[in-house]
mmCIF file with all atom_site columns, all heavy atoms in Angstrom:
data_model
loop_
_atom_site.group_PDB
_atom_site.id
_atom_site.type_symbol
_atom_site.label_atom_id
_atom_site.label_alt_id
_atom_site.label_comp_id
_atom_site.label_asym_id
_atom_site.label_entity_id
_atom_site.label_seq_id
_atom_site.pdbx_PDB_ins_code
_atom_site.Cartn_x
_atom_site.Cartn_y
_atom_site.Cartn_z
_atom_site.occupancy
_atom_site.B_iso_or_equiv
_atom_site.pdbx_formal_charge
_atom_site.auth_seq_id
_atom_site.auth_comp_id
_atom_site.auth_asym_id
_atom_site.auth_atom_id
_atom_site.pdbx_PDB_model_num
ATOM 1  N N   . ALA A 1 240 ? -38.441 4.886  -6.115  1.00 91.00 ? 269 ALA A N   1
ATOM 2  C CA  . ALA A 1 240 ? -38.103 3.751  -6.969  1.00 91.00 ? 269 ALA A CA  1
ATOM 3  C C   . ALA A 1 240 ? -38.156 4.161  -8.441  1.00 91.00 ? 269 ALA A C   1
ATOM 4  O O   . ALA A 1 240 ? -38.989 4.993  -8.837  1.00 91.00 ? 269 ALA A O   1
ATOM 5  C CB  . ALA A 1 240 ? -39.076 2.608  -6.712  1.00 91.00 ? 269 ALA A CB  1
ATOM 6  N N   . PRO A 1 241 ? -37.286 3.631  -9.276  1.00 95.00 ? 270 PRO A N   1
ATOM 7  C CA  . PRO A 1 241 ? -37.291 3.991  -10.704 1.00 95.00 ? 270 PRO A CA  1
ATOM 8  C C   . PRO A 1 241 ? -38.615 3.684  -11.396 1.00 95.00 ? 270 PRO A C   1
ATOM 9  O O   . PRO A 1 241 ? -38.997 4.382  -12.341 1.00 95.00 ? 270 PRO A O   1
ATOM 10 C CB  . PRO A 1 241 ? -36.149 3.149  -11.283 1.00 95.00 ? 270 PRO A CB  1
ATOM 11 C CG  . PRO A 1 241 ? -35.248 2.892  -10.129 1.00 95.00 ? 270 PRO A CG  1
ATOM 12 C CD  . PRO A 1 241 ? -36.145 2.764  -8.945  1.00 95.00 ? 270 PRO A CD  1
ATOM 13 N N   . GLU A 1 242 ? -39.317 2.637  -10.949 1.00 96.00 ? 271 GLU A N   1
ATOM 14 C CA  . GLU A 1 242 ? -40.624 2.292  -11.492 1.00 96.00 ? 271 GLU A CA  1
ATOM 15 C C   . GLU A 1 242 ? -41.663 2.397  -10.371 1.00 96.00 ? 271 GLU A C   1
ATOM 16 O O   . GLU A 1 242 ? -41.370 2.101  -9.222  1.00 96.00 ? 271 GLU A O   1
ATOM 17 C CB  . GLU A 1 242 ? -40.628 0.862  -12.055 1.00 96.00 ? 271 GLU A CB  1
ATOM 18 C CG  . GLU A 1 242 ? -39.668 0.628  -13.196 1.00 96.00 ? 271 GLU A CG  1
ATOM 19 C CD  . GLU A 1 242 ? -40.109 1.306  -14.480 1.00 96.00 ? 271 GLU A CD  1
ATOM 20 O OE1 . GLU A 1 242 ? -41.324 1.628  -14.594 1.00 96.00 ? 271 GLU A OE1 1
ATOM 21 O OE2 . GLU A 1 242 ? -39.261 1.529  -15.360 1.00 96.00 ? 271 GLU A OE2 1
ATOM 22 N N   . PRO A 1 243 ? -42.893 2.836  -10.696 1.00 94.00 ? 272 PRO A N   1
ATOM 23 C CA  . PRO A 1 243 ? -43.923 2.987  -9.664  1.00 94.00 ? 272 PRO A CA  1
ATOM 24 C C   . PRO A 1 243 ? -44.239 1.648  -9.006  1.00 94.00 ? 272 PRO A C   1
ATOM 25 O O   . PRO A 1 243 ? -44.450 0.642  -9.681  1.00 94.00 ? 272 PRO A O   1
ATOM 26 C CB  . PRO A 1 243 ? -45.134 3.510  -10.444 1.00 94.00 ? 272 PRO A CB  1
ATOM 27 C CG  . PRO A 1 243 ? -44.575 4.097  -11.701 1.00 94.00 ? 272 PRO A CG  1
ATOM 28 C CD  . PRO A 1 243 ? -43.373 3.269  -12.024 1.00 94.00 ? 272 PRO A CD  1
ATOM 29 N N   . ILE A 1 244 ? -44.208 1.627  -7.674  1.00 92.00 ? 273 ILE A N   1
ATOM 30 C CA  . ILE A 1 244 ? -44.590 0.435  -6.906  1.00 92.00 ? 273 ILE A CA  1
ATOM 31 C C   . ILE A 1 244 ? -45.365 0.858  -5.675  1.00 92.00 ? 273 ILE A C   1
ATOM 32 O O   . ILE A 1 244 ? -45.375 2.042  -5.301  1.00 92.00 ? 273 ILE A O   1
ATOM 33 C CB  . ILE A 1 244 ? -43.356 -0.391 -6.470  1.00 92.00 ? 273 ILE A CB  1
ATOM 34 C CG1 . ILE A 1 244 ? -42.419 0.469  -5.607  1.00 92.00 ? 273 ILE A CG1 1
ATOM 35 C CG2 . ILE A 1 244 ? -42.618 -0.983 -7.653  1.00 92.00 ? 273 ILE A CG2 1
ATOM 36 C CD1 . ILE A 1 244 ? -41.313 -0.333 -4.942  1.00 92.00 ? 273 ILE A CD1 1
ATOM 37 N N   . GLU A 1 245 ? -46.036 -0.103 -5.055  1.00 90.00 ? 274 GLU A N   1
ATOM 38 C CA  . GLU A 1 245 ? -46.717 0.118  -3.786  1.00 90.00 ? 274 GLU A CA  1
ATOM 39 C C   . GLU A 1 245 ? -46.111 -0.832 -2.764  1.00 90.00 ? 274 GLU A C   1
ATOM 40 O O   . GLU A 1 245 ? -45.836 -2.000 -3.071  1.00 90.00 ? 274 GLU A O   1
ATOM 41 C CB  . GLU A 1 245 ? -48.221 -0.143 -3.913  1.00 90.00 ? 274 GLU A CB  1
ATOM 42 C CG  . GLU A 1 245 ? -48.944 0.865  -4.791  1.00 90.00 ? 274 GLU A CG  1
ATOM 43 C CD  . GLU A 1 245 ? -50.444 0.618  -4.814  1.00 90.00 ? 274 GLU A CD  1
ATOM 44 O OE1 . GLU A 1 245 ? -50.898 -0.307 -4.088  1.00 90.00 ? 274 GLU A OE1 1
ATOM 45 O OE2 . GLU A 1 245 ? -51.146 1.332  -5.533  1.00 90.00 ? 274 GLU A OE2 1
ATOM 46 N N   . ALA A 1 246 ? -45.922 -0.327 -1.549  1.00 87.00 ? 275 ALA A N   1
ATOM 47 C CA  . ALA A 1 246 ? -45.377 -1.165 -0.487  1.00 87.00 ? 275 ALA A CA  1
ATOM 48 C C   . ALA A 1 246 ? -46.395 -2.231 -0.119  1.00 87.00 ? 275 ALA A C   1
ATOM 49 O O   . ALA A 1 246 ? -47.587 -1.963 -0.010  1.00 87.00 ? 275 ALA A O   1
ATOM 50 C CB  . ALA A 1 246 ? -45.042 -0.307 0.727   1.00 87.00 ? 275 ALA A CB  1
ATOM 51 N N   . ARG A 1 247 ? -45.915 -3.464 0.075   1.00 89.00 ? 276 ARG A N   1
ATOM 52 C CA  . ARG A 1 247 ? -46.796 -4.567 0.441   1.00 89.00 ? 276 ARG A CA  1
ATOM 53 C C   . ARG A 1 247 ? -46.226 -5.287 1.658   1.00 89.00 ? 276 ARG A C   1
ATOM 54 O O   . ARG A 1 247 ? -45.033 -5.577 1.706   1.00 89.00 ? 276 ARG A O   1
ATOM 55 C CB  . ARG A 1 247 ? -46.935 -5.557 -0.716  1.00 89.00 ? 276 ARG A CB  1
ATOM 56 C CG  . ARG A 1 247 ? -47.525 -4.928 -1.985  1.00 89.00 ? 276 ARG A CG  1
ATOM 57 C CD  . ARG A 1 247 ? -47.821 -5.976 -3.049  1.00 89.00 ? 276 ARG A CD  1
ATOM 58 N NE  . ARG A 1 247 ? -46.580 -6.654 -3.463  1.00 89.00 ? 276 ARG A NE  1
ATOM 59 C CZ  . ARG A 1 247 ? -46.573 -7.710 -4.276  1.00 89.00 ? 276 ARG A CZ  1
ATOM 60 N NH1 . ARG A 1 247 ? -47.713 -8.226 -4.721  1.00 89.00 ? 276 ARG A NH1 1
ATOM 61 N NH2 . ARG A 1 247 ? -45.425 -8.262 -4.633  1.00 89.00 ? 276 ARG A NH2 1
ATOM 62 N N   . GLY A 1 248 ? -47.051 -5.562 2.606   1.00 85.00 ? 277 GLY A N   1
ATOM 63 C CA  . GLY A 1 248 ? -46.647 -6.321 3.770   1.00 85.00 ? 277 GLY A CA  1
ATOM 64 C C   . GLY A 1 248 ? -45.920 -5.467 4.797   1.00 85.00 ? 277 GLY A C   1
ATOM 65 O O   . GLY A 1 248 ? -45.690 -4.271 4.610   1.00 85.00 ? 277 GLY A O   1
ATOM 66 N N   . PRO A 1 249 ? -45.568 -6.088 5.907   1.00 87.00 ? 278 PRO A N   1
ATOM 67 C CA  . PRO A 1 249 ? -44.931 -5.354 7.000   1.00 87.00 ? 278 PRO A CA  1
ATOM 68 C C   . PRO A 1 249 ? -43.490 -4.978 6.678   1.00 87.00 ? 278 PRO A C   1
ATOM 69 O O   . PRO A 1 249 ? -42.876 -5.516 5.758   1.00 87.00 ? 278 PRO A O   1
ATOM 70 C CB  . PRO A 1 249 ? -44.988 -6.352 8.155   1.00 87.00 ? 278 PRO A CB  1
ATOM 71 C CG  . PRO A 1 249 ? -45.007 -7.687 7.503   1.00 87.00 ? 278 PRO A CG  1
ATOM 72 C CD  . PRO A 1 249 ? -45.778 -7.515 6.225   1.00 87.00 ? 278 PRO A CD  1
ATOM 73 N N   . SER A 1 250 ? -42.934 -4.052 7.465   1.00 85.00 ? 279 SER A N   1
ATOM 74 C CA  . SER A 1 250 ? -41.558 -3.597 7.290   1.00 85.00 ? 279 SER A CA  1
ATOM 75 C C   . SER A 1 250 ? -40.951 -3.259 8.642   1.00 85.00 ? 279 SER A C   1
ATOM 76 O O   . SER A 1 250 ? -41.653 -2.765 9.535   1.00 85.00 ? 279 SER A O   1
ATOM 77 C CB  . SER A 1 250 ? -41.506 -2.368 6.375   1.00 85.00 ? 279 SER A CB  1
ATOM 78 O OG  . SER A 1 250 ? -40.197 -1.848 6.292   1.00 85.00 ? 279 SER A OG  1
ATOM 79 N N   . LEU A 1 251 ? -39.677 -3.511 8.802   1.00 85.00 ? 280 LEU A N   1
ATOM 80 C CA  . LEU A 1 251 ? -38.992 -3.136 10.042  1.00 85.00 ? 280 LEU A CA  1
ATOM 81 C C   . LEU A 1 251 ? -38.725 -1.644 10.120  1.00 85.00 ? 280 LEU A C   1
ATOM 82 O O   . LEU A 1 251 ? -38.622 -1.085 11.207  1.00 85.00 ? 280 LEU A O   1
ATOM 83 C CB  . LEU A 1 251 ? -37.650 -3.872 10.139  1.00 85.00 ? 280 LEU A CB  1
ATOM 84 C CG  . LEU A 1 251 ? -37.687 -5.367 10.430  1.00 85.00 ? 280 LEU A CG  1
ATOM 85 C CD1 . LEU A 1 251 ? -36.278 -5.942 10.326  1.00 85.00 ? 280 LEU A CD1 1
ATOM 86 C CD2 . LEU A 1 251 ? -38.251 -5.632 11.820  1.00 85.00 ? 280 LEU A CD2 1
#
Side-chain angles (χ1 to χ4, degrees):
E271 298 289 340
I273 59 170
E274 292 184 3
R276 300 188 298 173
S279 175
L280 288 173

